[in-house]
Amino acid sequence: MTETTDTTGAGQARLYRMDMPDHLCPYGLKSRYILRRKGFEIDDHRLTTREEVDAFLDEAGVETTPQTYIGETRIGGYEALREHLGMALRKEGETTYVPVIAIFAMAALIALAIAWTAGGALLSVRTVEWFAATGMCLLALQKLRDVESFSSMFLNYDLLAQKWVPYGYLYPFGEALAGVLMIAGALIWLAAPLALVIGTIGAVSVFKAVYVDKRELKCACVGGGSDVPLGVVSLTENLVMVAMGLWMLVKYGAGAGRRRCCGLHWPGVAASWGQTPARWGPRMDALRDKYIQQIADAGDESALEALRVAAVGKKGEISLKMRELGKMTPEERQVQGPKLNALKDEINAALAARKAALGDAALEERLRGEWLDVTLPGRTRREGTIHPISQVREEVTAIFAEMGFSVAEGPQIDSDWYNFDALNIPSHHPARAEMDTFYMHRDAEDDRPPHVLRTHTSPVQIRSMEKQGAPIRIIAPGRVYRADYDQTHTPMFHQVEGLAIDRDISMAHLKWTLEEFLRSYFEVEGVELRFRASHFPFTEPSAEVDIRCSWQDGQLKVGEGDDWMEILGSGMVHPKVLQAGGIDPEQWQGFAFGIGIDRIAMLKYGIPDLRAFFDSDLRWLRHYGFGALEQPNLHGGLSR
């Protein structure tokens, strides 16, 4: 397959690349991108099968794809193309600092994100601590990706690892543990000495290897297989750990806490209300116990409201404590802020619970003094639903009303002249046999013309032409009867027929009318119809109409797919039918069509069996029925 991309030309280029269903060559896409960016007009040859790939390799005398040609000169693969265009190429084993830059840049962004979330100053001492600790974690993660490779590189220069090999494996775990604890501000008595020890050993080892022994080694700081040279980067990493260890010892060792651990004060180990500055007043536990007890003892809602104002009101005791958070350092706010918020939430929850309890007690007292039990459930009455047949009939009427059709009705028991003769159905036609049509019983001496249960609503067309004349535009929905019964046929079913008569009506008008109807009814924009020549006694020419569709998991999809489904019959009204209705066929012509209401209801709403329409099963009606207020229209939607 070949595609040509015309860009503002730096020349003509041909690109051969693999683009198969099970493999898309990434270097081919990269080559195409570079050529487009450089302004080449690209003749893109996509090799979509294994046979095409092998044929190209044999013809070109190459072993791989992609292959690029500029003019008549073969350039080669992706890297050859970059080199030809003067673009930078990184050579294998070439020194690079990109991994280190990426790690420290990500550590800085994470530290700023933590500072933003914590609500303190964006740039502070704590942000610098988070940056250093996060950098330690990310560097440790690089080492832990392949501890075996890291330890091999590490043994080249680390003094302790050379004496005790397991240290090469333990180092990244120690660095990760120290970084995580420093981010959390927890167990500093462990994190600080750990960082100090491994950082000091590492710094001395790097300094000796690089600046004393003058050795050229690769740095293990970003993991095994790194091309970063041993030197300032690794030395900086270890010095940062030393600095963090010393800083944490000084910061948390000189704190104002009261609890000691290993001879020092550690806020990261145990922080309580008693360790906050003296301006905070009573201890948190005492404040909590005070208000929780008073709330529990409140006897009415007025006392409860007074307690709310005193505790969490605008000038309440806890609200005033919240204002003092702004006077604290970011580190103090980070510790005490969540505790004050938790205390406030607990007081509010206790107030709400006590208020609900007082309300329940008042209600219980009232119920004991009243004789009417207002908790008794009311008498429920199930709502009825509109039958799918009635719903679809209303939908059809709404659609054709928008196109100017009126609704015509007629008797369900009619003479055989209206049902057959007026419609150009000859006496020998099979539809007139008693095995297909229900004839009304007649006494032997009864000389009236035979009467039948109408087999279609076409007699309504004849009666409407007799009464109204031309021009005319009607639909005739209603019940019809035929002697048939199975999953898709019942002796009684519903049909709608349409009739339009004017001086210049043609098959084109019929096609447009049916397309508009089916598009609106199935509520899809793309409706494709197929007209097949057929024969009906009452139309000439006649056509069966099919609609494009597909079936997916038993669901009908109209307007898409490769299947066709017969949906209705239609045609131009036969001149004899016009004459039977009292209309001159030399002056007027028209079209007619007929469609089963039950059938299109089954198709649209997924109803599998026609017989269920008439079983009067309330469970079925509740499932497929419609609400009484669901009025179909083209603007609000026909279906639910």
Side-chain angles (χ1 to χ4, degrees):
M1 182 178 296
T2 303
E3 297 178 1
T4 301
T5 302
D6 189 3
T7 60
T8 55
Q12 178 75 33
R14 286 178 290 127
L15 175 64
Y16 295 84
R17 61 187 181 91
M18 293 176 64
D19 187 1
M20 298 189 296
D22 58 348
H23 178 68
L24 177 63
C25 179
Y27 294 104
L29 295 176
K30 289 183 176 182
S31 298
R32 186 179 65 178
Y33 169 73
I34 291 175
L35 290 169
R36 285 178 177 171
R37 195 176 68 179
K38 294 296 184 179
F40 283 89
E41 182 179 346
I42 307 169
D43 191 5
D44 188 6
H45 295 265
R46 295 162 52 202
L47 308 176
T48 58
T49 65
R50 185 76 256 175
E51 290 75 13
E52 290 182 4
V53 174
D54 293 340
F56 168 72
L57 295 178
D58 291 340
E59 180 181 351
V62 295
E63 295 181 355
T64 61
T65 62
Q67 292 291 324
T68 302
Y69 295 78
I70 296 180
E72 298 301 322
T73 303
R74 184 178 73 84
I75 305 302
Y78 171 67
E79 293 188 353
L81 176 62
R82 289 181 62 93
E83 184 176 5
H84 177 78
L85 296 176
M87 302 176 71
L89 281 176
R90 181 173 175 267
K91 298 178 181 178
E92 185 176 356
E94 182 181 357
T95 297
T96 177
Y97 290 94
V98 171
V100 179
I101 295 172
I103 287 174
F104 283 112
M106 183 56 67
L109 292 174
I110 292 174
L112 291 172
I114 296 173
W116 178 271
T117 303
L122 198 60
L123 297 176
S124 65
V125 174
R126 190 67 178 122
T127 305
V128 177
E129 294 174 0
W130 284 325
F131 164 66
T134 304
M136 292 166 58
C137 292
L138 294 178
L139 288 169
L141 180 62
Q142 288 294 101
K143 300 176 180 69
L144 290 170
R145 289 173 58 241
D146 188 351
V147 178
E148 191 65 37
S149 297
F150 161 75
S151 63
S152 298
M153 294 180 67
F154 193 59
L155 285 167
N156 281 323
Y157 60 86
D158 190 84
L159 299 176
L160 180 56
Q162 291 172 355
K163 299 292 184 181
W164 187 51
V165 172
Y167 179 65
Y169 294 93
L170 296 175
Y171 178 93
F173 292 96
E175 184 179 19
L177 177 61
V180 170
L181 293 178
M182 288 177 179
I183 291 174
L187 300 181
I188 302 302
W189 58 269
L190 172 62
L194 181 59
L196 186 59
V197 170
I198 64 177
T200 302
I201 297 172
V204 172
S205 299
V206 172
F207 186 83
K208 180 180 182 300
V210 176
Y211 300 105
V212 177
D213 299 338
K214 305 296 184 179
R215 300 174 63 192
E216 293 185 1
L217 299 171
K218 296 298 184 182
C219 178
C221 63
V222 290
S226 165
D227 290 326
V228 178
L230 182 67
V232 65
V233 173
S234 185
L235 183 60
T236 301
E237 175 193 8
N238 287 284
L239 290 177
V240 166
M241 281 195 283
V242 172
M244 280 294 289
L246 291 173
W247 169 251
M248 291 293 178
L249 287 173
V250 172
K251 176 182 177 181
Y252 290 111
R258 294 290 184 263
R259 185 169 300 177
R260 294 181 177 273
C261 180
C262 299
L264 295 175
H265 305 287
W266 303 103
V269 177
S272 69
W273 184 268
Q275 293 169 296
T276 58
R279 66 179 182 270
W280 278 83
R283 294 171 56 87
M284 185 192 299
D285 290 341
L287 195 61
R288 173 192 174 278
D289 294 341
K290 167 188 170 183
Y291 282 109
I292 291 296
Q293 186 60 47
Q294 291 181 3
I295 291 171
D297 294 338
D300 53 44
E301 291 192 11
S302 61
L304 204 60
E305 177 62 15
L307 283 172
R308 186 194 68 79
V309 173
V312 295
K314 187 175 181 180
K315 296 184 179 180
E317 192 170 0
I318 297 176
S319 299
L320 293 176
K321 298 293 182 187
M322 297 288 288
R323 296 180 189 178
E324 292 184 19
L325 287 173
K327 302 176 183 178
M328 291 184 174
T329 65
E331 291 75 16
E332 291 172 335
R333 267 201 309 274
Q334 186 181 2
V335 174
Q336 303 304 333
K339 294 185 177 183
L340 263 180
N341 282 322
L343 175 61
K344 183 178 179 180
D345 292 342
E346 186 175 2
I347 296 299
N348 283 325
L351 288 167
R354 183 58 180 165
K355 184 176 182 180
L358 291 173
D360 291 343
L363 180 61
E364 288 291 335
E365 183 65 25
R366 182 182 174 189
L367 290 176
R368 282 194 294 267
E370 295 178 355
W371 61 270
L372 179 62
D373 186 1
V374 297
T375 65
L376 286 175
R379 294 183 178 90
T380 59
R381 180 177 297 175
R382 288 185 178 271
E383 293 183 358
T385 56
I386 294 177
H387 196 283
I389 294 298
S390 302
Q391 174 73 16
V392 171
R393 177 168 174 166
E394 290 296 323
E395 293 178 18
V396 172
T397 301
I399 295 170
F400 280 108
E402 289 283 330
M403 292 189 282
F405 285 76
S406 59
V407 177
E409 296 182 340
Q412 297 180 39
I413 300 176
D414 216 336
S415 68
D416 65 345
W417 187 87
Y418 279 105
N419 197 77
F420 297 117
D421 296 330
L423 296 170
N424 196 36
I425 299 176
S427 58
H428 60 271
H429 196 279
R432 302 184 75 153
E434 290 188 352
M435 63 181 300
D436 288 330
T437 301
F438 293 104
Y439 281 82
M440 304 301 295
H441 175 73
R442 291 194 303 167
D443 293 332
E445 63 273 17
D446 191 347
D447 59 354
R448 292 179 301 171
H451 280 66
V452 299
L453 294 178
R454 65 182 183 188
T455 58
H456 40 204
T457 59
S458 300
V460 179
Q461 299 183 27
I462 301 297
R463 293 179 179 275
S464 297
M465 286 189 284
E466 290 177 338
K467 181 179 180 181
Q468 183 176 333
I472 187 173
R473 195 182 302 179
I474 63 166
I475 59 170
R479 296 186 183 93
V480 295
Y481 306 85
R482 296 178 189 175
D484 205 350
Y485 188 73
D486 57 34
Q487 187 175 6
T488 58
H489 299 85
T490 54
M492 185 275 292
F493 57 100
H494 299 79
Q495 188 184 60
V496 58
E497 294 189 4
L499 174 69
I501 298 175
D502 212 320
R503 295 187 184 275
D504 298 316
I505 283 183
S506 67
M507 286 287 286
H509 297 98
L510 170 63
K511 183 175 184 295
W512 178 87
T513 300
L514 295 179
E515 286 178 344
E516 283 297 298
F517 163 66
L518 293 172
R519 179 184 62 80
S520 299
Y521 177 75
F522 287 107
E523 297 180 87
V524 293
E525 286 299 322
V527 170
E528 185 176 350
L529 301 183
R530 180 176 69 181
F531 284 67
R532 291 182 291 103
S534 185
H535 169 73
F536 303 112
F538 30 83
T539 54
E540 181 63 27
S542 303
E544 299 276 4
V545 180
D546 302 335
I547 188 169
R548 182 181 289 278
C549 66
S550 65
W551 295 90
Q552 299 178 8
D553 298 326
Q555 295 294 318
L556 174 67
K557 302 289 185 181
V558 173
E560 60 185 54
D562 297 322
D563 295 332
W564 295 90
M565 178 177 61
E566 177 184 342
I567 195 143
L568 58 90
S570 63
M572 300 299 292
V573 181
H574 198 287
K576 291 185 178 180
V577 176
L578 293 174
Q579 288 177 341
I583 294 177
D584 184 1
E586 299 295 330
Q587 300 293 326
W588 307 90
Q589 62 186 20
F591 64 76
F593 58 86
I595 188 168
I597 294 177
D598 316 56
R599 183 159 183 262
I600 61 176
M602 294 171 68
L603 294 176
K604 183 173 181 179
Y605 296 113
I607 302 172
D609 195 329
L610 177 65
R611 293 168 293 190
F613 280 109
F614 314 111
D615 286 343
S616 299
D617 188 333
L618 290 179
R619 297 168 301 176
W620 186 91
L621 286 172
R622 293 188 188 111
H623 179 75
Y624 288 106
F626 293 79
L629 299 179
E630 294 180 8
Q631 297 297 325
N633 61 75
L634 297 183
H635 305 293
L638 294 175
S639 60
R640 48 189 157 199

